Amino acid sequence: MVMIRVALITVIAVVALGSGVANALETRRFLGEGSSDFGLELIYARAHAKRQAEQAGFTDCVELWKKEGAYTAKVLWECTR
């Protein structure tokens, strides 16, 4: 009888309080690089970062920084899923 009470109390506690496992978001960063003689380097860098993120299954992204040079650009995206 005592064992049944303990099991019942445990089940009630798990149902009432939850299992204790939180849904954590996964976060990753992607570095996109691009180069162009026609001023399209930033567009190419963003497309590169986007392609990497989508291939990894990430769709919610924010651009953390960008660095533009004369013919090259780099962007860093942080993405969550």
Side-chain angles (χ1 to χ4, degrees):
M1 186 67 168
V2 173
M3 196 65 112
I4 294 173
R5 281 187 189 168
V6 171
L8 184 57
I9 290 171
T10 303
V11 169
I12 291 171
V14 168
V15 171
L17 300 175
S19 64
V21 177
N23 284 336
L25 292 176
E26 182 182 358
T27 302
R28 275 185 57 187
R29 291 184 175 178
F30 299 94
L31 179 64
E33 299 178 282
S35 61
S36 172
D37 293 337
F38 304 104
L40 302 173
E41 56 275 350
L42 186 57
I43 293 170
Y44 292 155
R46 287 178 173 150
H48 184 221
K50 181 179 180 182
R51 187 171 48 254
Q52 290 178 62
E54 287 176 346
Q55 287 177 349
F58 291 84
T59 56
D60 185 22
C61 300
V62 184
E63 190 170 297
L64 296 179
W65 63 262
K66 66 181 176 183
K67 181 178 179 184
E68 295 182 78
Y71 299 101
T72 62
K74 292 183 180 183
V75 295
L76 182 64
W77 282 18
E78 184 173 77
C79 305
T80 57
R81 66 173 168 187

